[in-house]
C-alpha cells in the first residue's frame, strides 16, 4: 500500500544499482517512517470501525456480506474481524438459515458484543435524566418533586450499600476506608483511600452517573449519607466530578463520632 508522500516512480535501476537521473531526494528518516506507520495504523482502525458500524446498522453479518457492503475483499474483512473478536467487540455466531439448508458448513455471522455496543453512542444518561424528571413531575414538582428524587436516590444507594457494608464488616476498623474504596472500585468508581491531616480522604476517580448527577445533586447527597452511615462518623464532601472537579473527594475525620447523616451543607457539592 502506498502512503501520502511516496513517489509514484523511482529512478531507473541499472545492473550496478540505481542510475542517477537528476538530484536525489533524501531517504526517509526514522521520524518519517514512524509517521507512515502511524498513518497506516489509523487507516486500519478506521476500517475496523466501519466494519463494526456496518454490523451495528445491519445486524449479524457474514464476512461475505460485509465485504459486499464495504467494497472490501473478504480476506481483508476477515483480518479486521479477527482483530475485533480479539478485542471483544464482535463475536462469531452460527448464521440462522431459514428454509432448506444447503450442503457444507454454515457461514459464520458476526454480531456485536455488549462491549462493542457500548463503544457507540448510547442514550443511557438521557434516559436516566428523563426518568428522574418524570419522578419529580409526578410528585407535584417543586419541593415535593425534589423530595421524591431524593427518596429515589436514597433507595438506590441503600441497595448498593448492602454490599459495601459486608466489605466493611470483614475489615479491621483501621482499614474500613480502604475496604470501602475497594468495594467502590468493584462498582466502577476507581476509588482510593489516602491519609490526610487529622483524617483520611476517600477519592473516586470516576463516576458512572456524573452527567445525571450534574442535574440531580440528590444522587451525590445520598451517596455521602451512605458513606457517613457505613463509616459511623460525620464525613464531608470536598469535591465532586459532577460539579466540575477532577475527583470526587470525601474527608473522613480520625475522631469518629457516631452519626446517621452527612452534613447537609456539604453533601454532593463543594463547601462554600
Amino acid at each position: 500500500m502506498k502512503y501520502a508522500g511516496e513517489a509514484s516512480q523511482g529512478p531507473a535501476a541499472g545492473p550496478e544499482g540505481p542510475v542517477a537521473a537528476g538530484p536525489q531526494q533524501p531517504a526517509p528518516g526514522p521520524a518519517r517512517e514512524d509517521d507512515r506507520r502511524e498513518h497506516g495504523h489509523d487507516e486500519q482502525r478506521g476500517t475496523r470501525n466501519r466494519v463494526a458500524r456496518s454490523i451495528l446498522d445491519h445486524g449479524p453479518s457474514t464476512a461475505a456480506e460485509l465485504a459486499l457492503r464495504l467494497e472490501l475483499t473478504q480476506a481483508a474483512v476477515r483480518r479486521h474481524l479477527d482483530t475485533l473478536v480479539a478485542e471483544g467487540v464482535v463475536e462469531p455466531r452460527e448464521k440462522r438459515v431459514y428454509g432448506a439448508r444447503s450442503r457444507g458448513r454454515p457461514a459464520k455471522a458476526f454480531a456485536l458484543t455488549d462491549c462493542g455496543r457500548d463503544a457507540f453512542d448510547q442514550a443511557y444518561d438521557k434516559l436516566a435524566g428523563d426518568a428522574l424528571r418524570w419522578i419529580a413531575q409526578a410528585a407535584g414538582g417543586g419541593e415535593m418533586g425534589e423530595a421524591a428524587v431524593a427518596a429515589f436516590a436514597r433507595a438506590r444507594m441503600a441497595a448498593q450499600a448492602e454490599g459495601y457494608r459486608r466489605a466493611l464488616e470483614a475489615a479491621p476498623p483501621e482499614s474500613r476506608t480502604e475496604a470501602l474504596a475497594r468495594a467502590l472500585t468493584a462498582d466502577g468508581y476507581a476509588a482510593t483511600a489516602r491519609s490526610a491531616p487529622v483524617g483520611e480522604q476517600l477519592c473516586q476517580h470516576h463516576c458512572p452517573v456524573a452527567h445525571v448527577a450534574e442535574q440531580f445533586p440528590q444522587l451525590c447527597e445520598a451517596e455521602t449519607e451512605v458513606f457517613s452511615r457505613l463509616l459511623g462518623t460525620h464525613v464531608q464532601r470536598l469535591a465532586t466530578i459532577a460539579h466540575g472537579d477532577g475527583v470526587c473527594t470525601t474527608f473522613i475525620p480520625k475522631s469518629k463520632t457516631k452519626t446517621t447523616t452527612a452534613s447537609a451543607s456539604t453533601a454532593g457539592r463543594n463547601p462554600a
Side-chain angles (χ1 to χ4, degrees):
M1 179 180 293
K2 287 191 177 293
Y3 299 93
E6 279 189 305
S8 58
Q9 292 182 348
E16 300 300 323
V19 176
Q24 295 290 318
Q25 295 294 326
R32 191 166 183 184
E33 289 297 333
D34 289 343
D35 290 343
R36 289 180 179 179
R37 281 194 292 270
E38 185 176 349
H39 175 74
H41 292 158
D42 290 345
E43 193 175 71
Q44 293 294 313
R45 172 58 63 183
T47 304
R48 282 197 291 276
N49 288 342
R50 289 176 58 214
V51 171
R53 181 76 205 195
S54 184
I55 295 172
L56 178 73
D57 291 341
H58 297 88
S61 307
T62 65
E65 292 167 342
L66 288 163
L68 184 63
R69 286 200 296 265
L70 300 174
E71 299 182 349
L72 299 169
T73 66
Q74 289 191 39
V77 168
R78 288 194 183 95
R79 286 197 299 273
H80 291 302
L81 287 170
D82 287 344
T83 301
L84 291 170
V85 169
E87 292 175 348
V89 175
V90 303
E91 60 185 1
R93 298 177 181 175
E94 184 173 327
K95 184 175 175 62
R96 289 185 178 181
V97 178
Y98 300 95
R101 175 177 289 184
S102 59
R103 291 184 178 181
R105 181 180 298 177
K108 284 183 181 178
F110 293 84
L112 287 177
T113 63
D114 290 340
C115 175
R117 289 185 181 279
D118 288 344
F120 292 94
D121 293 335
Q122 301 286 359
Y124 298 139
D125 287 342
K126 184 178 185 304
L127 176 63
D130 289 346
L132 289 175
R133 273 186 289 275
W134 185 90
I135 290 173
Q137 292 169 2
E143 292 184 1
M144 292 188 295
E146 291 182 6
V149 172
F152 165 82
R154 291 191 183 102
R156 173 181 174 273
M157 280 305 303
Q160 284 185 241
E162 286 307 307
Y164 303 158
R165 191 185 310 280
R166 289 191 293 271
L168 267 65
E169 288 174 350
E174 67 275 10
S175 301
R176 297 179 75 199
T177 303
E178 291 181 6
L180 179 56
R182 287 194 295 271
L184 286 166
T185 296
D187 273 353
Y189 290 87
T192 58
R194 64 188 184 193
S195 297
V198 300
E200 295 176 289
Q201 283 187 353
L202 177 67
C203 299
Q204 295 158 261
H205 302 273
H206 176 67
C207 177
V209 297
H211 295 305
V212 182
E214 288 177 14
Q215 307 167 56
F216 298 95
Q218 294 96 325
L219 296 173
C220 296
E221 292 165 5
E223 182 181 78
T224 309
E225 291 173 5
V226 162
F227 292 169
S228 178
R229 284 196 296 271
L230 289 172
L231 296 168
T233 185
H234 164 82
V235 302
Q236 184 179 25
R237 184 58 65 90
L238 302 178
T240 62
I241 294 172
H243 285 80
D245 301 296
V247 180
C248 293
T249 307
T250 305
F251 174 70
I252 302 141
K254 282 183 180 175
S255 55
K256 299 189 177 196
T257 305
K258 292 283 183 180
T259 186
T260 57
T261 60
S263 168
S265 63
T266 58
R269 56 181 180 273
N270 296 328

